[in-house]
């Protein structure tokens, strides 16, 4: 055989294998359903007549067992399930029967349900737990909860409510962020059943001794009440109430006076002022030296500071929520504030008696006399003035000139575009006569006649243009206004929803007798998907438009649940993936299954479901929230960091333990700071997960040529 012929045969084999693999990938989602193949009556005789089990296979016994079960013929169903298990012993989704036929095969689960209905609760628990070791189904969890409850109720053994442990915060905490990940655990002697946070029921599918909870909570400014309720399977209830205070504003530093002082030959100043905060000062530093302060909303301070080696004084204060403000000034620029003390004290009354021309002037208010270049020199012996020289006759004129200038404001405020929901404005204001109040938009801060004020004020931003104006007024009523600036708030394009994994959602296929209640499922699902944090970019969410498209493609209703239909529509809509599934309903129950398929690879990314026997609107909404919760768990939005770079590959600190999946894609960015503002800069690289370990993964570059660096950040697309 020539080399050319061999190459051709090899090529044909490769094409055949590719087509076969594609066919298998596309078709293994479609599973035979026992309800679709048999339509017998509900009596034992009719079922036996319909099912001819001569040379019966495991799937025949399983299907007949399901029919017996539906008719309430529990023992007959048990016999058929045991017969099927002798041939195929494990529960399995899409178990192959023959050719390209697959069955959703759950004999252990259905045995457990039969035992439950016969009151054999321990046997039910055993079979249901066995089913869940092989495959995760919502129906198995539903009946396992019921069986465990029945055992506890019979024994009357569970008397105590569960314990609630909040890991993230404790009551009375002060926080400086308004978007919290509120998490913890509920622990019970037997089984935790339900959890509510602020009256919103959390999705707990399977009761357990310990159940973790996590919820993103938004706080309003000030005190917030959070109520956590938890009950066990038999209804014992525990209620915990927490108080969290959201404080975004840093303390305010008020500077009243600076007095020079020489001590033991060292240059010193005495700095006096106050710290104010809406909720309380926690710590205070001067030139990196921490000053012991009592806790309180206003704290006066008068501290001696060594300036032998520096002409600068740095003040720093932190409140109980962790907000920090800094104030920094140069003594050279503050000479007009400085009072240099002599070692003796000249009483104001003595000054008035000796210098009547100064009575009633500003100097009268000071028990100490200011020394400047034009200074008043005093010699005091035994508290009596004996000589006076070089009286500063220009002091009152100099004060008048300072008053005429009015207050001065220094800020870092400028028009710009930011990408966070808050903008911090650093403000310094000064007036020699004393400051009365400072105003940022509608927020007024009282200055208590301080000569200087330092603060970092947080302005919360809305999307689009935000207008910020700052003004200050002194004790004489003179005002100074900063020009109004516009700060534009935007969302980073690569972090917006339309940059995430794009999907469309097919109308769901129907199995069984579908009631009007099922009409709520599609809108409730969309509502839950659009609740923050949003995981997907829905390129098509209009059900009617999708139905029209399906008609154009000549896809029938019974084909809505088929993988081929989802892939075909997804590619037309240019979606990365398609959500599709089934609604299986009978008289007492509703089971919704959802699948996510990647339209490029045709691989099923995830399959999950919810099961309920409560068809009320409230229960359906909770079930759809739970279904979306499970989808987000199986296809999570993760944030990570590059830990190693190697040519066209790089490594990220995310792995299986984080829920990462093969072929997930990463968007990339890096953080930097400009003008005190943290900036996220997109990196023009798209990476795809190629290999996964428990705590890390290897990523291949699939798009973009920009250099990837260690510590670059990633987010799953």
């Amino acid at each position: 055989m020539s080399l050319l012929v061999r190459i051709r045969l090899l090529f044909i084999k490769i094409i055949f294998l590719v087509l076969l693999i594609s066919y298998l990938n596309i078709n293994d989602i479609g599973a035979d359903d026992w309800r679709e193949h048999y339509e017998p009556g509900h009596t034992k005789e009719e079922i036996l007549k319909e099912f001819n089990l001569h040379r019966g296979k495991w799937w025949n016994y399983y299907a007949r067992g399901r029919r017996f079960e539906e008719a309430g013929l529990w023992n007959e169903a048990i016999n058929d399930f045991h017969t099927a298990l002798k041939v195929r012993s494990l529960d399995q989704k899409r178990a192959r029967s023959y050719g390209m036929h697959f069955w959703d095969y759950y004999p252990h689960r259905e045995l457990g349900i039969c035992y439950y209905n016969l009151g054999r609760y321990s046997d039910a628990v055993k079979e249901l737990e066995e089913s869940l070791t092989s495959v995760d189904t919502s129906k198995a969890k539903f009946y396992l909860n019921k069986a465990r409850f029945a055992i506890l109720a019979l024994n009357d053994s569970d008397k105590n409510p569960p314990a609630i442990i909040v890991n993230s915060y404790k009551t009375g905490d002060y926080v400086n962020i308004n978007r919290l990940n509120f998490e913890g655990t509920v622990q019970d002697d037997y089984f935790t059943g339900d959890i509510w946070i602020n009256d919103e029921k959390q999705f707990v599918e399977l009761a357990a001794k310990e159940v973790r909870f996590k919820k993103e909570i938004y706080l309003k400014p000030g005190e917030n009440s959070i109520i956590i309720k938890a009950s066990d399977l038999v209804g014992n209830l525990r209620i915990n109430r927490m108080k969290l205070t959201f404080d975004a504003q840093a303390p305010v530093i008020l500077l009243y006076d600076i007095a020079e002082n020489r001590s033991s030959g060292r240059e010193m100043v005495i700095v006096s002022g106050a710290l104010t905060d809406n909720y309380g000062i926690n710590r205070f530093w001067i030139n990196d030296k921490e000053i012991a302060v009592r806790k309180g909303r206003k704290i006066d301070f008068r501290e001696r500071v060594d300036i032998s080696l520096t002409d600068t004084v740095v003040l720093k204060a932190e409140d109980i929520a962790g907000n920090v403000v800094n104030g920094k000034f140069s003594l050279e620029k503050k000479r007009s504030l400085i009072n240099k003390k002599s070692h003796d004290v000249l009483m104001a009354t003595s000054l008035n008696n000796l210098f009547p021309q100064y009575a009633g002037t500003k100097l009268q208010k000071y028990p100490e006399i200011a020394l400047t270049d034009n200074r008043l020199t005093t010699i005091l012996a035994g508290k009596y003035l004996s000589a006076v020289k070089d009286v500063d006759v220009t002091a009152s004129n100099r004060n008048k000139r300072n008053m005429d200038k009015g207050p001065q404001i220094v800020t870092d405020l400028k028009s710009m575009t930011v990408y966070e929901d808050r903008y911090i404005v650093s403000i310094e204001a000064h007036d020699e006569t004393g400051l009365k109040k400072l105003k940022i938009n509608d927020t007024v801060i009282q200055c208590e006649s301080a000569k200087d004020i330092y603060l970092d004020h947080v302005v919360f931003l809305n999307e689009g243009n935000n207008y910020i104006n700052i003004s200050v007024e002194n004790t004489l009523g003179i005002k100074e206004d900063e020009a109004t600036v516009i700060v534009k708030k935007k969302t980073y394009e690569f972090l917006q929803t339309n940059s995430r994994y794009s999907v469309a959602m097919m109308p769901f296929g129907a199995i069984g007798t579908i009631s009007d209640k099922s009409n709520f499922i599609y809108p409730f699902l969309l509502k839950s998907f659009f609740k923050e944090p949003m995981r997907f970019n829905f390129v098509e969410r209009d059900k009617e438009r999708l139905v029209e498209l399906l008609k154009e493609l000549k896809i029938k209703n019974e084909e809505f649940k088929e993988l081929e239909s989802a892939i075909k529509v997804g590619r037309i809509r240019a979606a990365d993936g398609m959500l599709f599934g089934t609604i299986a309903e009978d008289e007492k129950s509703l089971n919704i299954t959802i699948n996510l398929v990647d339209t490029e690879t045709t691989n099923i990314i995830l399959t999950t479901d919810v099961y309920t026997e409560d068809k009320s609107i409230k229960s359906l909404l909770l079930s759809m929230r739970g279904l979306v919760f499970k989808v987000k768990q199986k296809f999570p939005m993760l944030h990570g960091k590059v830990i190693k770079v190697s040519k066209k590959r790089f490594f990220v600190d995310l792995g299986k333990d984080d829920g990462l999946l093969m072929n997930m894609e990463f968007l990339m960015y890096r953080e930097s700071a400009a003008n005190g503002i943290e900036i996220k800069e997109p990196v023009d690289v798209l990476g795809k997960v190629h290999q996964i370990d428990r705590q890390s993964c290897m990523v291949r570059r699939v798009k973009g040529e920009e250099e990837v660096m260690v510590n670059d950040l990633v987010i799953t697309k």
Side-chain angles (χ1 to χ4, degrees):
M1 187 180 295
S2 68
L3 179 61
L4 182 59
V5 173
R6 288 179 178 176
I7 292 173
R8 285 178 178 173
L9 287 173
L10 180 61
F11 181 74
I12 291 170
K13 287 181 180 178
I14 291 171
I15 294 296
F16 175 77
L17 287 172
V18 169
L19 291 173
L20 178 61
I21 291 168
S22 298
Y23 180 75
L24 292 177
N25 281 341
I26 288 174
N27 285 277
D28 69 353
I29 186 68
D32 289 348
D33 188 274
W34 56 274
R35 278 173 285 212
E36 293 180 334
H37 288 266
Y38 304 101
E39 293 297 335
H42 294 287
T43 67
K44 178 178 178 180
E45 291 73 21
E46 288 173 322
I47 295 172
L48 288 171
K49 181 180 178 181
E50 179 69 25
F51 281 80
N52 182 359
L53 291 185
H54 177 64
R55 298 174 62 184
K57 303 295 184 181
W58 59 263
W59 58 89
N60 300 126
Y61 283 101
Y62 177 70
R64 192 176 73 172
R66 293 297 298 266
R67 275 299 178 183
F68 280 137
E69 182 185 359
E70 186 183 46
L73 301 166
W74 311 117
N75 289 310
E76 289 78 1
I78 288 170
N79 291 334
D80 275 353
F81 292 142
H82 277 303
T83 303
L85 281 167
K86 290 176 183 177
V87 180
R88 197 177 193 105
S89 61
L90 297 176
D91 286 16
Q92 184 181 346
K93 189 167 185 65
R94 297 190 295 277
R96 188 187 300 274
S97 55
Y98 63 92
M100 299 308 298
H101 290 268
F102 300 84
W103 289 79
D104 287 340
Y105 176 68
Y106 309 120
H108 285 292
R109 184 186 75 183
E110 300 309 318
L111 269 174
I113 295 171
C114 291
Y115 286 139
Y116 171 79
N117 283 285
L118 289 171
R120 295 168 59 179
Y121 302 125
S122 296
D123 291 334
V125 168
K126 179 182 176 182
E127 294 295 337
L128 292 164
E129 288 178 340
E130 178 65 28
S131 175
L132 288 170
T133 60
S134 302
V135 61
D136 186 334
T137 63
S138 184
K139 188 177 181 181
K141 294 176 181 177
F142 181 87
Y143 273 95
L144 183 54
N145 288 338
K146 290 172 72 75
R148 286 170 170 171
F149 164 77
I151 292 171
L152 291 172
L154 282 174
N155 296 334
D156 195 24
S157 53
D158 190 356
K159 300 293 187 181
N160 300 316
I164 301 171
I165 302 164
V166 178
N167 301 327
S168 46
Y169 302 94
K170 62 181 184 296
T171 190
D173 277 354
Y174 292 80
V175 297
N176 56 17
I177 53 175
N178 62 338
R179 194 169 171 172
L180 304 180
N181 280 323
F182 191 75
E183 53 188 307
T185 57
V186 177
Q187 298 174 349
D188 189 70
D189 295 338
Y190 294 93
F191 298 102
T192 297
D194 293 313
I195 301 171
W196 296 263
I197 299 176
N198 284 346
D199 292 328
E200 183 177 302
K201 191 174 182 179
Q202 305 304 293
F203 182 71
V204 180
E205 192 170 36
L206 181 62
K209 285 192 173 183
E210 181 173 296
V211 175
R212 296 182 62 187
F213 62 85
K214 183 176 182 179
K215 178 177 172 57
E216 192 170 55
I217 291 181
Y218 294 85
L219 302 181
K220 69 180 189 307
E223 188 175 85
N224 295 260
S225 179
I226 301 171
I227 301 174
I228 311 107
K229 295 189 290 186
S231 68
D232 56 25
L233 271 183
V234 297
N236 296 313
L237 182 67
R238 172 85 65 187
I239 301 176
N240 279 13
R241 291 178 171 83
M242 290 183 62
K243 299 284 187 184
L244 292 180
T245 301
F246 169 47
D247 174 23
Q249 303 299 346
V252 174
I253 300 175
L254 300 172
L255 190 60
Y256 296 143
D257 202 8
I258 305 168
E260 285 187 311
N261 176 267
R262 182 179 295 275
S263 175
S264 302
R266 302 177 68 86
E267 291 291 331
M268 309 286 286
V269 291
I270 295 178
V271 180
S272 57
L275 310 172
T276 65
D277 187 76
N278 292 331
Y279 296 100
I281 303 296
N282 185 38
R283 303 175 73 185
F284 178 46
W285 298 262
I286 299 179
N287 285 356
D288 293 329
K289 178 185 176 183
E290 185 164 3
I291 309 299
V293 293
R294 59 176 176 79
K295 302 293 190 292
R297 296 188 179 189
K298 182 182 178 184
I299 297 173
D300 294 310
F301 64 87
R302 180 180 172 85
E303 296 293 330
R304 182 176 295 177
V305 182
D306 188 346
I307 58 169
S308 301
L309 301 177
T310 180
D311 190 53
T312 301
V313 176
V314 179
L315 308 175
K316 178 181 174 182
E318 178 187 78
D319 65 16
I320 55 179
N323 301 300
V324 175
V325 64
N326 291 279
K328 180 179 179 180
F329 59 84
S330 168
L331 291 173
E332 194 62 37
K333 296 179 181 179
K334 297 286 186 182
R335 292 301 176 188
S336 62
L337 290 176
I338 296 176
N339 296 327
K340 190 168 185 180
K341 288 185 179 180
S342 65
H343 292 287
D344 303 299
V345 178
L346 178 65
M347 303 302 292
T349 53
S350 300
L351 178 64
N352 292 333
N353 290 334
L354 289 169
F355 304 104
Q357 67 270 34
Y358 285 96
T361 68
K362 188 174 181 182
L363 291 176
Q364 179 187 4
K365 300 177 184 178
Y366 292 90
E368 303 146 359
I369 295 179
L371 282 173
T372 65
D373 291 336
N374 299 313
R375 67 176 182 249
L376 176 66
T377 304
T378 66
I379 301 172
L380 198 68
K383 297 187 180 180
Y384 292 96
L385 187 67
S386 59
V388 177
K389 300 179 182 178
D390 302 335
V391 175
D392 182 359
V393 295
T394 64
S396 60
N397 291 331
R398 192 166 57 250
N399 285 335
K400 185 176 184 302
R401 286 198 304 272
N402 286 335
M403 288 188 291
D404 290 341
K405 289 180 181 179
Q408 303 161 33
I409 310 174
V410 178
T411 79
D412 59 359
L413 182 63
K414 59 183 177 181
S415 294
M416 63 188 308
T417 299
V418 299
Y419 293 87
E420 306 296 335
D421 63 355
R422 59 179 71 185
Y423 181 78
I424 301 176
V425 187
S426 293
I427 305 170
E428 298 179 21
H430 168 74
D431 189 89
E432 190 66 19
T433 64
L435 298 164
K436 181 180 180 181
K437 62 183 178 182
L438 186 141
K439 189 175 182 183
I440 306 108
N441 288 347
D442 294 328
T443 301
V444 177
I445 296 169
Q446 300 299 330
C447 302
E448 302 183 6
S449 301
K451 294 180 180 179
D452 291 85
I453 183 172
Y454 302 89
L455 69 154
D456 289 336
H457 185 79
V458 175
V459 178
F460 289 97
L461 304 177
N462 298 313
E463 196 74 17
N465 291 340
N466 297 263
Y467 298 87
I468 302 176
N469 176 263
I470 300 173
S471 64
V472 65
E473 179 182 341
N474 68 10
T475 53
L476 300 178
I478 302 173
K479 294 183 180 180
E480 178 70 21
D481 281 277
E482 286 272 289
T484 299
V485 303
I486 299 174
V487 176
K488 186 174 184 179
K489 195 258 182 183
K490 292 179 65 177
T491 302
Y492 287 105
E493 185 176 343
F494 65 95
L495 294 179
Q496 289 180 346
T497 304
N498 57 17
S499 295
R500 294 177 192 158
Y501 192 85
S502 61
V503 299
M505 188 161 70
M506 293 273 287
F508 279 30
I511 300 175
T513 305
I514 305 301
S515 68
D516 292 340
K517 292 290 181 67
S518 65
N519 294 330
F520 292 97
I521 290 172
Y522 196 90
F524 281 0
L525 259 179
L526 281 176
K527 180 178 180 180
S528 300
F529 271 120
F530 276 81
K531 192 173 182 180
E532 291 289 349
M534 287 179 60
R535 179 63 187 92
F536 300 112
N537 169 27
F538 276 80
V539 296
E540 183 59 85
R541 60 177 183 263
D542 191 310
K543 184 178 179 181
E544 299 306 319
R545 281 208 298 261
L546 277 171
V547 169
E548 288 300 316
L549 177 60
L550 291 166
K551 287 180 181 177
E552 291 174 17
L553 297 173
K554 298 182 180 179
I555 296 174
K556 301 175 184 178
N557 288 7
E558 59 268 21
E559 296 174 324
F560 285 179
K561 66 181 184 297
E562 299 297 333
L563 180 64
E564 300 97 315
S565 304
I567 292 171
K568 189 182 294 185
V569 174
R571 287 174 176 169
I572 290 173
R573 281 288 182 254
D576 296 321
M578 284 296 295
L579 293 163
F580 68 104
T582 57
I583 301 170
E585 187 176 7
D586 56 29
E587 290 181 0
K588 71 171 185 177
S589 67
L590 192 62
N591 192 185
I592 301 101
T593 302
I594 193 168
N595 310 279
L596 175 62
V597 59
D598 188 276
T599 55
E600 180 184 353
T601 64
T602 73
N603 289 330
I604 301 296
I605 296 174
L606 65 88
T607 298
T608 191
D609 74 323
V610 289
Y611 176 90
T612 182
E613 293 183 359
D614 180 356
K615 297 184 185 181
S616 68
I617 298 299
K618 188 176 181 180
S619 173
L620 286 180
L621 180 56
L622 178 63
S623 294
M624 293 308 99
R625 286 206 339 248
L627 188 58
V628 170
F629 173 78
K630 293 175 74 172
V631 169
K632 290 180 179 180
Q633 269 193 327
K634 290 175 178 285
F635 194 70
M637 187 165 63
L638 302 171
H639 297 260
K641 184 170 64 175
V642 175
I643 54 177
K644 182 181 176 182
V645 178
S646 174
K647 294 183 180 179
K648 290 192 175 183
R649 300 177 301 173
F650 53 92
F651 298 82
V652 172
D653 63 347
L654 296 171
K656 290 180 182 177
D657 290 353
D658 303 293
L660 194 69
L661 302 175
M662 282 293 293
N663 296 316
M664 270 188 164
E665 293 180 335
F666 286 130
L667 302 171
M668 306 193 64
Y669 63 100
R670 61 179 60 111
E671 291 182 342
S672 60
N675 299 318
I677 304 295
E678 188 177 89
I679 296 175
K680 296 178 174 66
E681 301 174 293
V683 177
D684 186 23
V685 170
L686 181 68
K688 180 174 283 191
V689 177
H690 185 71
Q691 182 178 319
I692 307 178
D693 295 323
R694 281 192 59 196
Q695 297 179 338
S696 64
C697 65
M698 185 182 78
V699 183
R700 288 191 184 276
R701 181 197 300 261
V702 295
K703 181 182 176 183
E705 298 298 326
E706 190 171 344
E707 181 185 5
V708 176
M709 298 186 289
V710 172
N711 293 327
D712 280 350
L713 302 173
V714 302
I715 180 173
T716 47
K717 184 179 175 184

